[in-house]
Amino acid sequence: MTRWFEDIVIDEVFSLGSHTFNADEIIRFATLYDPQYFHLDAAAAQHSHFGGLVASGWHTVSVGHRKMVDALFAEEERLRGEGREPGVSGPSPGVNAMEFKVPVRPGDTVSYELVVTGKRASNSIPGWGLLFNKLTATNQRGELVYRADLVGFSKLRDYVMPLRLRLLLALTKMPLIGPLLKRGS
């Protein structure tokens, strides 16, 4: 999230935009990353449990991730346009859950949304907070095609490192003491 941890509002919905999947794109993605017959060959896919060509779940995820990253950059630009300093987002420590609910077929338009469902200060990385997010993807019929529970880092704007940590950090930079402290960790 390109907002400071302190500025993030729980349950705020971020519309990430939509994408229409077509057969050529589905086949191109599958050829490169998920070459299963029901993603590659419309005729053979007729005999699958899907009854036709479908996008790889990973294709759906990849498009959603791109939409999320694009939205982060747009939010950064929006904040700068308002004369505000955007926050700093960090990496994701992981995905807690992921479900593929309904297959995505050629011609489906999938809309993506992100909601921050919770947040807390990080226990292991001073100055950072953890964001708990729900990413959903819904087709033009209102059917949920994909959902994921994601975790990400966001920097705290007003963080001041405690004196004991500042002292320890300073000690690690001293020529005689630093190597001893680093060896002991």
Side-chain angles (χ1 to χ4, degrees):
M1 184 57 59
T2 312
R3 291 185 186 174
W4 295 105
F5 180 81
E6 296 86 345
D7 297 337
I8 294 169
V9 177
I10 303 300
D11 293 332
E12 183 176 357
V13 177
F14 295 91
S15 176
L16 304 178
S18 59
H19 179 80
T20 301
F21 290 77
N22 66 57
D24 290 341
E25 173 190 10
I26 289 170
I27 293 167
R28 187 171 48 252
F29 184 93
T31 300
L32 291 170
Y33 305 110
D34 194 359
Q36 298 182 71
Y37 74 98
F38 42 81
H39 303 318
L40 290 172
D41 183 327
Q46 292 295 324
H47 305 289
S48 74
H49 57 288
F50 295 115
L53 189 69
V54 296
S56 166
W58 300 114
H59 187 180
T60 308
V61 170
S62 296
V63 169
H65 189 78
R66 176 59 191 254
K67 295 281 185 191
M68 183 176 62
V69 171
D70 288 348
L72 291 174
F73 289 139
E75 176 71 357
E76 182 177 336
E77 287 180 31
R78 184 188 72 77
L79 291 169
R80 287 192 195 286
E82 292 176 357
R84 297 166 52 196
E85 183 64 26
V88 178
S89 61
S92 171
V95 176
N96 290 335
M98 180 184 293
E99 296 178 283
F100 301 105
K101 305 299 274 181
V102 172
V104 173
R105 299 180 183 280
D108 279 354
T109 298
V110 176
S111 299
Y112 296 86
E113 284 187 346
L114 180 74
V115 177
V116 178
T117 59
K119 67 180 187 175
R120 71 167 173 79
S122 172
N123 294 326
S124 58
I125 304 177
W128 289 84
L130 286 169
L131 303 178
F132 302 93
N133 309 289
K134 180 174 68 172
L135 178 67
T136 57
T138 308
N139 66 20
Q140 71 276 9
R141 292 177 296 282
E143 298 168 318
L144 181 66
V145 300
Y146 161 70
R147 71 171 294 282
D149 296 329
L150 313 171
V151 183
F153 281 102
S154 180
K155 195 158 181 66
L156 279 71
R157 174 183 38 238
D158 300 325
Y159 177 75
V160 176
M161 189 180 291
L163 179 59
R164 65 181 171 77
L165 287 178
R166 290 194 311 246
L167 288 173
L168 186 58
L169 185 61
L171 287 172
T172 63
K173 294 181 180 181
M174 295 179 75
L176 296 176
I177 298 172
L180 291 173
L181 288 173
K182 290 177 184 174
R183 228 180 309 165
S185 52

